[in-house]
Coordinates of all heavy atoms in Angstrom, one line a residue:
M1 N 4.1 3.2 -22.8 CA 4.4 3.1 -21.3 C 5.3 4.2 -20.9 O 4.9 4.8 -19.9 CB 5.0 1.7 -21.1 CG 5.2 1.4 -19.5 SD 3.6 1.5 -18.7 CE 4.2 1.8 -17.0
I2 N 6.3 4.4 -21.5 CA 7.2 5.6 -21.1 C 6.5 6.9 -21.1 O 6.5 7.8 -20.2 CB 8.5 5.6 -22.1 CG1 9.5 4.4 -21.7 CG2 9.3 6.9 -21.8 CD1 10.4 4.2 -22.7
L3 N 5.7 7.0 -22.2 CA 4.8 8.1 -22.3 C 3.9 8.4 -21.2 O 3.7 9.4 -20.6 CB 4.0 8.1 -23.5 CG 3.3 9.4 -24.1 CD1 4.3 10.5 -24.4 CD2 2.5 9.2 -25.2
A4 N 3.3 7.2 -20.7 CA 2.3 7.2 -19.7 C 3.0 7.7 -18.4 O 2.6 8.5 -17.6 CB 1.8 5.9 -19.5
V5 N 4.3 7.2 -18.2 CA 5.0 7.6 -17.0 C 5.3 9.1 -16.9 O 5.2 9.8 -15.9 CB 6.4 6.7 -16.8 CG1 7.3 7.2 -15.8 CG2 5.9 5.3 -16.7
L6 N 5.7 9.6 -18.1 CA 6.0 11.0 -18.3 C 4.9 11.7 -17.9 O 5.0 12.8 -17.2 CB 6.6 11.4 -19.6 CG 8.0 10.9 -19.9 CD1 8.4 11.0 -21.4 CD2 9.0 11.4 -19.0
T7 N 3.8 11.5 -18.6 CA 2.5 12.3 -18.5 C 2.2 12.2 -16.8 O 1.8 13.3 -16.3 CB 1.3 11.5 -19.2 OG1 1.8 11.3 -20.5 CG2 0.1 12.4 -19.2
L8 N 2.3 11.0 -16.2 CA 1.9 10.9 -14.9 C 2.8 11.8 -14.1 O 2.3 12.6 -13.1 CB 2.1 9.4 -14.4 CG 1.5 9.1 -13.1 CD1 0.1 9.4 -13.0 CD2 1.7 7.7 -12.7
S9 N 4.2 11.9 -14.2 CA 5.0 12.7 -13.5 C 4.8 14.1 -13.7 O 4.8 14.9 -12.7 CB 6.5 12.3 -13.7 OG 6.8 12.2 -15.0
T10 N 4.5 14.5 -14.9 CA 4.1 15.8 -15.2 C 2.8 16.3 -14.5 O 2.9 17.4 -13.8 CB 3.8 16.1 -16.8 OG1 4.9 15.5 -17.4 CG2 3.7 17.5 -17.1
F11 N 2.0 15.3 -14.4 CA 0.7 15.7 -13.7 C 0.9 15.9 -12.2 O 0.6 16.9 -11.6 CB -0.3 14.6 -13.9 CG -1.5 14.8 -13.1 CD1 -2.6 15.7 -13.5 CD2 -1.7 14.0 -12.0 CE1 -3.8 15.8 -12.7 CE2 -2.9 14.0 -11.2 CZ -3.8 15.0 -11.6
T12 N 1.8 14.9 -11.7 CA 2.0 15.0 -10.3 C 2.8 16.1 -9.9 O 2.4 16.9 -8.9 CB 2.9 13.6 -9.9 OG1 2.1 12.6 -10.4 CG2 2.9 13.6 -8.3
A13 N 3.8 16.5 -10.8 CA 4.5 17.9 -10.4 C 3.5 19.1 -10.3 O 3.7 19.9 -9.6 CB 5.6 18.0 -11.5
G14 N 2.6 19.0 -11.4 CA 1.7 20.2 -11.6 C 0.8 20.4 -10.4 O 0.4 21.3 -9.9
A15 N 0.4 19.1 -9.8 CA -0.5 19.0 -8.7 C 0.2 19.2 -7.4 O -0.6 19.2 -6.4 CB -1.3 17.6 -8.7
G16 N 1.5 19.5 -7.3 CA 2.1 19.7 -6.1 C 2.3 18.3 -5.4 O 2.3 17.3 -5.9
F17 N 2.1 18.4 -4.0 CA 2.5 17.3 -3.3 C 1.2 16.5 -2.8 O 1.5 15.5 -2.0 CB 3.3 17.7 -2.1 CG 4.8 18.0 -2.4 CD1 5.2 19.4 -2.4 CD2 5.7 17.2 -2.9 CE1 6.4 19.8 -2.8 CE2 6.9 17.6 -3.3 CZ 7.4 18.9 -3.3
A18 N 0.1 16.8 -3.2 CA -1.1 16.2 -2.8 C -1.0 14.7 -3.2 O -0.7 14.4 -4.3 CB -2.3 16.9 -3.2
A19 N -1.3 13.8 -2.4 CA -1.3 12.5 -2.6 C -2.5 12.1 -3.6 O -3.5 12.7 -3.5 CB -1.4 11.6 -1.3
D20 N -2.2 11.3 -4.4 CA -3.1 10.9 -5.6 C -3.6 9.4 -5.3 O -2.9 8.5 -5.8 CB -2.4 11.1 -6.8 CG -3.3 10.8 -7.9 OD1 -4.4 10.2 -7.8 OD2 -2.9 11.2 -9.2
A21 N -4.8 9.2 -4.8 CA -5.4 7.9 -4.4 C -5.6 7.1 -5.7 O -5.4 5.9 -5.8 CB -6.6 7.9 -3.8
K22 N -5.7 7.8 -6.9 CA -6.0 7.0 -8.1 C -4.7 6.4 -8.7 O -4.5 5.3 -9.0 CB -6.6 8.1 -9.3 CG -6.9 7.6 -10.5 CD -8.3 6.9 -10.5 CE -8.6 6.0 -11.7 NZ -8.9 4.7 -11.3
A23 N -3.6 7.2 -8.5 CA -2.3 6.7 -8.8 C -1.9 5.6 -7.9 O -1.3 4.6 -8.2 CB -1.1 7.8 -8.8
G24 N -2.3 5.7 -6.6 CA -2.0 4.9 -5.5 C -2.6 3.5 -5.8 O -2.1 2.4 -5.5
E25 N -3.8 3.5 -6.5 CA -4.5 2.3 -6.7 C -3.6 1.3 -7.7 O -3.5 0.1 -7.4 CB -5.8 2.5 -7.5 CG -6.6 1.3 -7.8 CD -8.0 1.6 -8.4 OE1 -8.2 2.7 -8.6 OE2 -8.7 0.7 -8.5
A26 N -3.0 1.9 -8.6 CA -2.1 1.2 -9.5 C -0.9 0.6 -8.8 O -0.5 -0.5 -9.0 CB -1.7 2.0 -10.7
V27 N -0.5 1.4 -7.8 CA 0.7 1.0 -7.0 C 0.3 -0.2 -6.1 O 1.0 -1.2 -6.0 CB 1.2 2.1 -6.1 CG1 2.3 1.7 -5.2 CG2 1.9 3.3 -6.9
Y28 N -0.8 -0.1 -5.6 CA -1.6 -1.1 -4.6 C -1.7 -2.4 -5.4 O -1.3 -3.4 -5.0 CB -2.8 -0.5 -4.0 CG -3.3 -1.7 -3.0 CD1 -2.9 -1.5 -1.7 CD2 -4.2 -2.6 -3.5 CE1 -3.5 -2.3 -0.8 CE2 -4.6 -3.6 -2.5 CZ -4.3 -3.5 -1.3 OH -4.8 -4.4 -0.3
N29 N -2.2 -2.4 -6.6 CA -2.5 -3.4 -7.3 C -1.2 -4.2 -7.7 O -1.1 -5.4 -7.8 CB -3.3 -3.1 -8.5 CG -4.7 -2.8 -8.1 OD1 -5.1 -3.2 -7.1 ND2 -5.5 -2.2 -9.0
R30 N -0.1 -3.5 -7.9 CA 1.1 -4.1 -8.4 C 2.1 -4.4 -7.1 O 2.6 -5.6 -7.2 CB 2.0 -2.9 -9.0 CG 3.4 -3.3 -9.3 CD 4.1 -2.2 -10.2 NE 4.2 -0.7 -9.7 CZ 4.9 -0.5 -8.7 NH1 5.8 -1.3 -8.1 NH2 5.0 0.8 -8.1
A31 N 2.0 -3.9 -6.0 CA 2.8 -4.0 -5.0 C 2.3 -4.5 -3.7 O 3.0 -5.1 -2.8 CB 3.7 -2.8 -4.5
C32 N 1.0 -4.5 -3.5 CA 0.3 -4.9 -2.2 C -0.7 -6.0 -2.3 O -0.8 -6.7 -1.4 CB -0.2 -3.7 -1.5 SG 0.6 -2.2 -1.6
K33 N -1.4 -5.9 -3.4 CA -2.6 -6.8 -3.6 C -2.4 -8.2 -3.4 O -3.2 -9.0 -3.0 CB -3.2 -6.5 -5.0 CG -4.5 -7.0 -5.1 CD -5.2 -6.5 -6.5 CE -5.2 -7.7 -7.5 NZ -5.7 -7.2 -8.8
S34 N -1.2 -8.8 -3.9 CA -0.9 -10.2 -3.9 C -1.0 -10.7 -2.4 O -1.5 -11.8 -2.2 CB 0.4 -10.4 -4.5 OG 1.4 -9.8 -3.9
C35 N -0.6 -9.9 -1.5 CA -0.6 -10.3 -0.1 C -1.8 -9.7 0.7 O -2.5 -10.4 1.6 CB 0.5 -9.8 0.7 SG 2.2 -10.4 0.1
H36 N -2.2 -8.4 0.4 CA -3.4 -7.8 1.2 C -4.6 -8.0 0.4 O -5.8 -7.3 1.1 CB -2.9 -6.4 1.4 CG -1.8 -6.3 2.5 ND1 -2.1 -6.4 3.7 CD2 -0.6 -6.0 2.3 CE1 -0.9 -6.2 4.4 NE2 0.0 -5.9 3.5
G37 N -4.8 -8.6 -0.7 CA -6.0 -8.7 -1.3 C -6.4 -7.4 -2.1 O -6.0 -6.3 -1.8
A38 N -7.6 -7.6 -3.0 CA -7.9 -6.4 -3.8 C -8.6 -5.3 -2.9 O -8.4 -4.1 -3.1 CB -8.8 -6.9 -4.9
D39 N -9.1 -5.8 -1.8 CA -9.9 -4.8 -1.0 C -9.3 -4.6 0.4 O -10.0 -4.1 1.3 CB -11.3 -5.0 -1.0 CG -11.7 -6.4 -0.2 OD1 -10.7 -7.1 0.2 OD2 -12.9 -6.5 0.2
G40 N -8.1 -5.2 0.7 CA -7.5 -5.0 1.9 C -7.7 -6.3 2.7 O -7.1 -6.4 3.9
T41 N -8.5 -7.2 2.3 CA -8.6 -8.6 3.0 C -7.4 -9.4 2.8 O -7.2 -9.8 1.6 CB -9.8 -9.3 2.4 OG1 -11.0 -8.4 2.4 CG2 -10.3 -10.5 3.3
P42 N -6.8 -9.8 3.8 CA -5.5 -10.5 3.8 C -5.8 -11.8 2.9 O -6.7 -12.5 3.0 CB -5.1 -10.8 5.1 CG -6.0 -10.1 6.0 CD -7.1 -9.6 5.2
N43 N -4.7 -12.1 2.1 CA -4.6 -13.4 1.3 C -4.4 -14.4 2.2 O -3.3 -14.5 2.9 CB -3.5 -13.2 0.3 CG -3.4 -14.4 -0.5 OD1 -3.9 -15.5 -0.1 ND2 -2.7 -14.4 -1.7
P44 N -5.3 -15.5 2.4 CA -5.2 -16.3 3.6 C -3.9 -17.4 3.2 O -3.1 -17.7 4.2 CB -6.4 -17.3 3.6 CG -7.2 -16.7 2.5 CD -6.5 -15.5 1.9
A45 N -3.6 -17.5 2.0 CA -2.4 -18.5 1.7 C -1.1 -17.7 2.1 O -0.2 -18.4 2.6 CB -2.4 -18.7 0.3
I46 N -1.1 -16.4 2.0 CA 0.1 -15.8 2.4 C 0.3 -15.6 4.0 O 1.4 -16.0 4.5 CB 0.1 -14.2 1.9 CG1 0.1 -14.2 0.5 CG2 1.3 -13.4 2.5 CD1 1.3 -14.6 -0.4
A47 N -0.8 -15.4 4.7 CA -0.9 -15.5 6.1 C -0.4 -16.8 6.5 O 0.6 -16.8 7.5 CB -2.3 -15.1 6.7
K48 N -0.9 -17.9 5.9 CA -0.5 -19.0 6.3 C 1.0 -19.4 6.0 O 1.7 -19.9 6.9 CB -1.4 -20.3 5.7 CG -1.3 -21.6 6.2 CD -2.3 -22.5 5.6 CE -2.1 -23.9 5.9 NZ -2.6 -25.0 5.1
M49 N 1.4 -19.1 4.8 CA 2.7 -19.3 4.5 C 3.8 -18.6 5.4 O 4.8 -19.1 5.9 CB 3.0 -18.9 3.1 CG 4.3 -19.2 2.4 SD 4.3 -18.6 0.7 CE 4.8 -16.9 1.0
M50 N 3.4 -17.3 5.7 CA 4.3 -16.4 6.6 C 4.1 -16.7 8.0 O 4.8 -16.1 8.9 CB 4.0 -14.9 6.3 CG 4.5 -14.6 4.7 SD 4.1 -12.9 4.3 CE 5.8 -12.2 4.3
K51 N 3.1 -17.6 8.3 CA 2.8 -17.9 9.8 C 2.6 -16.7 10.5 O 3.2 -16.4 11.7 CB 4.0 -18.8 10.4 CG 4.2 -20.1 9.7 CD 5.0 -20.9 10.5 CE 5.2 -22.4 10.1 NZ 5.5 -22.5 8.8
V52 N 1.7 -15.7 10.2 CA 1.4 -14.6 10.7 C -0.1 -14.3 10.6 O -0.7 -14.7 9.6 CB 2.1 -13.3 10.3 CG1 2.0 -13.0 8.8 CG2 2.2 -12.2 11.2
E53 N -0.6 -13.7 11.7 CA -2.0 -13.2 11.7 C -2.0 -11.8 11.0 O -1.4 -10.9 11.5 CB -2.4 -13.0 13.1 CG -3.9 -12.6 13.3 CD -4.8 -13.9 13.5 OE1 -4.3 -14.9 14.0 OE2 -5.9 -13.9 12.8
M54 N -2.6 -11.7 9.8 CA -2.6 -10.4 9.1 C -3.9 -9.7 9.3 O -5.0 -10.3 9.2 CB -2.5 -10.6 7.6 CG -1.1 -11.1 7.2 SD -1.0 -11.4 5.4 CE -1.0 -9.8 4.8
R55 N -3.7 -8.4 9.6 CA -5.0 -7.6 9.9 C -5.6 -7.0 8.6 O -4.8 -6.7 7.6 CB -4.7 -6.6 10.8 CG -4.5 -7.0 12.3 CD -4.5 -6.1 13.3 NE -3.5 -5.0 13.3 CZ -3.3 -4.0 14.1 NH1 -4.1 -4.0 15.1 NH2 -2.3 -3.1 13.9
D56 N -6.8 -7.0 8.5 CA -7.5 -6.6 7.4 C -7.2 -4.9 7.1 O -7.3 -4.2 8.2 CB -9.0 -6.7 7.4 CG -9.7 -6.5 6.2 OD1 -9.4 -5.5 5.5 OD2 -10.7 -7.2 5.9
L57 N -6.7 -4.5 6.0 CA -6.4 -3.1 6.0 C -7.6 -2.2 6.1 O -7.3 -1.1 6.3 CB -5.7 -2.8 4.6 CG -4.3 -3.6 4.3 CD1 -3.6 -3.1 3.0 CD2 -3.2 -3.3 5.5
K58 N -8.8 -2.8 5.8 CA -10.0 -1.9 6.0 C -10.4 -1.7 7.5 O -11.2 -0.9 7.9 CB -11.3 -2.6 5.3 CG -11.1 -2.9 3.8 CD -12.4 -3.4 3.4 CE -12.8 -4.9 3.8 NZ -11.9 -5.9 3.5
S59 N -9.8 -2.6 8.3 CA -10.3 -2.6 9.7 C -10.0 -1.3 10.5 O -9.0 -0.7 10.2 CB -9.5 -3.7 10.5 OG -8.2 -3.6 10.5
P60 N -10.8 -0.9 11.5 CA -10.6 0.2 12.3 C -9.1 0.3 12.8 O -8.6 1.2 12.9 CB -11.7 0.1 13.3 CG -12.7 -0.6 12.6 CD -12.2 -1.7 11.7
A61 N -8.8 -0.9 13.3 CA -7.3 -1.0 13.9 C -6.3 -0.4 13.0 O -5.5 0.2 13.3 CB -7.1 -2.3 14.4
V62 N -6.4 -1.0 11.8 CA -5.4 -0.6 10.7 C -5.6 0.8 10.2 O -4.7 1.6 10.2 CB -5.2 -1.7 9.5 CG1 -4.3 -1.1 8.5 CG2 -4.8 -3.0 10.0
Q63 N -6.8 1.2 10.1 CA -7.1 2.6 9.6 C -6.7 3.6 10.7 O -6.5 4.8 10.4 CB -8.6 2.6 9.2 CG -8.9 2.0 8.1 CD -8.4 2.7 6.8 OE1 -8.2 3.7 6.7 NE2 -8.1 1.8 5.7
A64 N -6.6 3.2 12.0 CA -6.4 4.1 12.9 C -4.8 4.4 13.0 O -4.3 5.4 13.7 CB -6.6 3.5 14.4
L65 N -3.9 3.6 12.3 CA -2.6 4.0 12.1 C -2.4 5.3 11.5 O -3.2 5.5 10.5 CB -1.9 2.8 11.3 CG -1.7 1.4 11.8 CD1 -1.2 0.5 10.7 CD2 -0.8 1.5 13.0
S66 N -1.4 6.1 11.7 CA -1.2 7.4 11.1 C -0.6 7.1 9.7 O -0.1 6.0 9.4 CB -0.2 8.2 12.0 OG 1.0 7.7 12.0
D67 N -0.6 8.1 8.7 CA 0.0 8.1 7.5 C 1.4 7.7 7.8 O 2.1 7.0 7.0 CB -0.1 9.2 6.8 CG -1.6 9.5 6.3 OD1 -2.5 8.7 6.5 OD2 -1.8 10.5 5.5
A68 N 2.2 8.4 8.8 CA 3.4 8.2 9.0 C 3.8 6.7 9.4 O 4.8 6.2 8.9 CB 3.9 9.2 10.1
D69 N 2.9 6.2 10.2 CA 3.0 4.6 10.6 C 3.0 3.7 9.3 O 3.9 3.0 9.2 CB 1.8 4.3 11.6 CG 1.9 5.0 12.9 OD1 2.9 5.4 13.4 OD2 0.7 5.0 13.6
I70 N 2.1 4.2 8.5 CA 1.9 3.3 7.3 C 3.1 3.4 6.4 O 3.8 2.4 5.8 CB 0.7 3.5 6.6 CG1 -0.5 3.1 7.5 CG2 0.5 2.7 5.2 CD1 -1.9 3.4 6.9
K71 N 3.7 4.7 6.3 CA 4.8 5.0 5.5 C 6.1 4.2 5.9 O 6.8 3.6 5.2 CB 5.1 6.5 5.7 CG 6.1 7.0 4.6 CD 6.1 8.6 4.7 CE 6.4 9.1 3.4 NZ 6.1 10.5 3.3
T72 N 6.2 4.1 7.4 CA 7.4 3.3 7.8 C 7.2 1.9 7.6 O 8.1 1.2 7.2 CB 7.3 3.6 9.5 OG1 7.5 4.9 9.7 CG2 8.5 2.8 10.1
I73 N 5.9 1.5 7.6 CA 5.6 0.0 7.3 C 6.1 -0.3 5.9 O 6.7 -1.3 5.6 CB 4.2 -0.4 7.7 CG1 3.9 -0.3 9.2 CG2 3.9 -1.8 7.1 CD1 2.5 -0.4 9.5
V74 N 5.7 0.6 5.0 CA 5.9 0.3 3.6 C 7.5 0.4 3.2 O 8.1 -0.3 2.4 CB 5.1 1.2 2.6 CG1 5.6 1.2 1.2 CG2 3.7 1.0 2.7
T75 N 8.1 1.5 3.9 CA 9.4 1.8 3.4 C 10.5 1.1 4.3 O 11.7 0.8 4.0 CB 9.7 3.2 3.6 OG1 9.5 3.6 4.9 CG2 8.9 4.1 2.5
A76 N 10.0 0.6 5.5 CA 11.0 -0.2 6.3 C 10.6 -1.6 6.9 O 11.3 -2.3 7.3 CB 11.2 0.8 7.7
G77 N 9.3 -1.9 6.6 CA 8.7 -3.1 6.8 C 8.3 -3.1 8.3 O 8.5 -2.3 9.1
K78 N 7.5 -4.1 8.6 CA 7.0 -4.4 10.0 C 6.8 -5.9 10.3 O 6.1 -6.6 9.4 CB 5.6 -3.8 10.2 CG 5.0 -4.0 11.6 CD 3.5 -3.6 11.5 CE 2.9 -3.9 12.9 NZ 1.5 -4.0 12.9
G79 N 7.5 -6.3 11.3 CA 7.3 -7.8 11.6 C 7.7 -8.7 10.4 O 8.8 -8.5 9.8
K80 N 6.8 -9.4 9.9 CA 7.0 -10.4 8.9 C 6.9 -9.7 7.5 O 7.3 -10.4 6.5 CB 6.1 -11.5 8.9 CG 6.1 -12.4 10.2 CD 6.5 -13.8 10.0 CE 6.9 -14.4 11.3 NZ 6.2 -15.8 11.3
M81 N 6.5 -8.5 7.3 CA 6.4 -7.8 6.2 C 7.7 -7.0 5.9 O 8.1 -6.2 6.8 CB 5.2 -6.8 6.1 CG 5.2 -6.0 4.9 SD 3.8 -4.9 4.7 CE 4.4 -3.6 3.6
H82 N 8.3 -7.4 4.8 CA 9.5 -6.7 4.4 C 9.3 -5.3 3.9 O 8.2 -5.0 3.4 CB 10.3 -7.5 3.4 CG 10.9 -8.8 4.0 ND1 12.0 -9.4 3.5 CD2 10.4 -9.6 5.0 CE1 12.3 -10.4 4.2 NE2 11.2 -10.7 5.0
A83 N 10.1 -4.5 3.9 CA 10.0 -3.2 3.2 C 9.8 -3.5 1.6 O 10.2 -4.3 1.1 CB 11.4 -2.4 3.2
I84 N 8.9 -2.6 1.2 CA 8.5 -2.7 -0.3 C 9.4 -1.8 -1.1 O 9.2 -0.6 -1.3 CB 7.1 -2.4 -0.6 CG1 6.1 -3.2 0.4 CG2 6.7 -2.8 -2.0 CD1 6.2 -4.7 0.4
A85 N 10.5 -2.4 -1.7 CA 11.6 -1.6 -2.1 C 11.1 -0.9 -3.4 O 11.8 0.1 -3.9 CB 12.9 -2.5 -2.4
S86 N 10.2 -1.5 -4.1 CA 9.7 -0.9 -5.4 C 8.8 0.3 -5.2 O 8.5 0.9 -6.2 CB 9.1 -2.1 -6.2 OG 7.8 -2.4 -5.5
V87 N 8.4 0.6 -4.0 CA 7.7 1.7 -3.7 C 8.3 2.7 -3.0 O 8.6 2.7 -1.8 CB 6.3 1.3 -2.9 CG1 5.3 2.5 -2.7 CG2 5.6 0.2 -3.7
T88 N 8.7 3.9 -3.7 CA 9.4 5.0 -3.1 C 8.9 6.3 -3.4 O 8.0 6.4 -4.4 CB 10.8 4.9 -3.6 OG1 10.9 4.9 -5.1 CG2 11.6 3.8 -3.2
G89 N 9.3 7.4 -2.8 CA 8.9 8.7 -3.2 C 7.4 9.0 -3.0 O 6.7 8.5 -2.1
P90 N 6.9 9.7 -4.1 CA 5.4 10.1 -4.1 C 4.6 8.8 -4.1 O 3.5 8.8 -3.6 CB 5.3 10.8 -5.3 CG 6.6 11.2 -5.8 CD 7.6 10.3 -5.2
A91 N 5.0 7.7 -4.7 CA 4.2 6.4 -4.8 C 3.8 6.0 -3.4 O 2.7 5.4 -3.2 CB 4.9 5.3 -5.5
V92 N 4.8 6.3 -2.4 CA 4.3 5.8 -1.0 C 3.1 6.7 -0.4 O 2.2 6.0 0.0 CB 5.4 6.0 -0.1 CG1 5.2 5.7 1.4 CG2 6.9 5.3 -0.6
D93 N 3.2 7.9 -0.6 CA 2.0 8.8 -0.3 C 0.8 8.4 -1.1 O -0.3 8.3 -0.5 CB 2.3 10.2 -0.5 CG 3.6 10.6 0.5 OD1 3.4 10.5 1.6 OD2 4.5 11.1 -0.1
N94 N 0.9 8.0 -2.3 CA -0.2 7.8 -3.2 C -0.9 6.4 -2.8 O -2.1 6.4 -2.6 CB 0.1 7.7 -4.7 CG 0.5 9.0 -5.1 OD1 0.2 10.2 -4.6 ND2 1.2 9.0 -6.3
V95 N 0.0 5.4 -2.4 CA -0.5 4.1 -2.0 C -1.2 4.3 -0.6 O -2.3 3.7 -0.4 CB 0.6 3.0 -2.0 CG1 1.4 2.9 -0.8 CG2 -0.3 1.7 -2.2
I96 N -0.8 5.0 0.2 CA -1.4 5.3 1.5 C -2.7 6.0 1.2 O -3.8 5.6 1.9 CB -0.5 6.3 2.4 CG1 0.6 5.5 2.8 CG2 -1.3 6.7 3.7 CD1 1.7 6.4 3.5
A97 N -2.8 6.9 0.4 CA -4.1 7.6 0.0 C -5.1 6.6 -0.4 O -6.3 6.7 -0.1 CB -3.8 8.8 -1.0
Y98 N -4.6 5.6 -1.1 CA -5.4 4.7 -1.7 C -5.9 3.8 -0.6 O -7.1 3.3 -0.6 CB -4.8 3.8 -2.8 CG -5.7 2.6 -3.3 CD1 -6.8 3.2 -4.1 CD2 -5.5 1.4 -3.1 CE1 -7.8 2.2 -4.5 CE2 -6.4 0.4 -3.6 CZ -7.5 0.8 -4.2 OH -8.4 -0.1 -4.7
V99 N -5.0 3.4 0.3 CA -5.4 2.5 1.4 C -6.5 3.1 2.3 O -7.5 2.5 2.7 CB -4.2 2.1 2.4 CG1 -4.5 1.6 3.7 CG2 -3.2 1.2 1.6
R100 N -6.4 4.4 2.4 CA -7.6 5.1 3.1 C -8.9 5.0 2.4 O -9.9 5.2 3.1 CB -7.2 6.7 3.2 CG -6.0 7.0 4.0 CD -6.1 6.5 5.4 NE -4.9 6.9 6.2 CZ -4.6 6.3 7.4 NH1 -5.4 5.4 7.9 NH2 -3.5 6.7 8.1
T101 N -8.9 4.8 1.2 CA -10.3 4.5 0.4 C -10.9 3.3 0.6 O -11.9 3.0 0.2 CB -10.1 5.0 -1.1 OG1 -9.4 3.8 -1.7 CG2 -9.4 6.2 -1.5
L102 N -10.0 2.4 1.2 CA -10.5 0.9 1.3 C -11.5 0.9 2.4 O -12.5 -0.1 2.4 CB -9.4 -0.1 1.6 CG -8.3 -0.2 0.6 CD1 -7.2 -1.1 1.1 CD2 -8.8 -0.8 -0.8
K103 N -11.4 1.7 3.4 CA -12.3 1.6 4.6 C -13.8 1.8 4.3 O -14.2 2.5 3.4 CB -11.8 2.5 5.7 CG -12.0 4.0 5.4 CD -11.9 4.9 6.8 CE -12.1 6.3 6.6 NZ -10.8 7.0 6.2
Ligands
HEC201 C1 4.8 -10.3 0.6 C2 3.4 -10.0 1.3 C3 3.2 -8.5 1.4 C4 3.2 -7.5 0.6 C5 3.7 -7.4 -0.8 C6 2.9 -6.3 1.2 N1 2.5 -6.7 2.6 FE1 1.7 -5.4 4.1 N2 1.9 -6.9 5.5 C7 2.2 -8.2 5.1 C8 2.3 -9.0 6.3 C9 2.5 -10.5 6.5 C10 1.9 -8.2 7.4 C11 1.8 -8.5 8.8 C12 3.2 -8.3 9.5 C13 3.2 -8.6 11.0 O1 2.4 -8.3 11.7 O2 4.2 -9.3 11.2 C14 1.7 -6.9 6.7 C15 1.3 -5.7 7.4 C16 1.0 -4.5 6.8 C17 0.4 -3.4 7.4 C18 0.2 -3.3 8.9 C19 -1.2 -3.9 9.5 C20 -1.2 -4.2 10.8 O3 -1.7 -5.2 11.2 O4 -0.7 -3.4 11.6 C21 0.2 -2.4 6.6 C22 -0.4 -1.0 6.9 C23 0.5 -2.9 5.4 N3 1.0 -4.1 5.5 C24 0.5 -2.4 4.0 C25 1.0 -2.7 2.9 C26 1.2 -2.1 1.7 C27 0.5 -0.5 1.5 C28 1.8 -2.5 0.8 C29 2.2 -2.3 -0.6 C30 3.0 -1.0 -0.7 C31 2.1 -4.0 1.4 N4 1.7 -3.9 2.7 C32 2.7 -5.0 0.7 C33 2.6 -8.7 3.9 C34 2.7 -8.0 2.7

């Protein structure tokens, strides 16, 4: 596991700052999927529990948000969604790149 992390960071450093949707998929599955579903379809149990209407991440309305908007949502939260403290640095850009592939 430590080796995998080292390899990944070496690769990311070598690749510069380009966001990596493949790495973002792992972040998404760990930090977003439980609420937003595997493909961006909101988990109805979460929406009900949090008493909020959740929009599908694949929807044109959500895809119309800028990367900067999504970054703010992930790092600072929005409405009933708290900031995702476990996702920081390049992982934020990577998970946004992955969210773009859902549409
Ligand atoms: C604990 C459940 C939970 C987790 C984990 C979570 N979210 Fe959310 N997310 C929500 C809820 C609930 C909302 C709706 C908030 C509101 O409108 O009050 C939301 C809203 C959003 C929105 C805005 C959609 C809109 O309607 O404007 C985006 C984008 C988003 N989440 C992305 C992510 C990403 C990316 C991750 C992982 C890094 C993540 N979320 C993790 C619960 C979660």
Side-chain angles (χ1 to χ4, degrees):
M1 185 57 199
I2 289 169
L3 190 66
V5 170
L6 286 176
T7 310
L8 188 65
S9 50
T10 308
F11 172 76
T12 309
F17 291 108
D20 180 347
K22 186 81 192 124
E25 180 176 8
V27 176
Y28 184 90
N29 288 340
R30 169 174 60 78
C32 320
K33 191 171 107 177
S34 56
C35 296
H36 289 285
D39 70 346
T41 311
N43 177 342
I46 296 289
K48 194 173 172 205
M49 189 181 78
M50 294 178 111
K51 295 189 172 58
V52 65
E53 188 89 37
M54 288 175 70
R55 294 195 291 184
D56 194 320
L57 296 186
K58 302 187 284 307
S59 67
V62 174
Q63 290 290 333
L65 296 170
S66 68
D67 287 1
D69 291 335
I70 300 179
K71 193 171 211 161
T72 303
I73 292 168
V74 172
T75 58
K78 179 199 175 195
K80 300 235 169 140
M81 177 178 149
H82 292 208
I84 309 298
S86 66
V87 180
T88 55
V92 179
D93 297 305
N94 292 343
V95 82
I96 293 168
Y98 181 68
V99 167
R100 296 300 182 198
T101 70
L102 298 174
K103 67 164 179 278

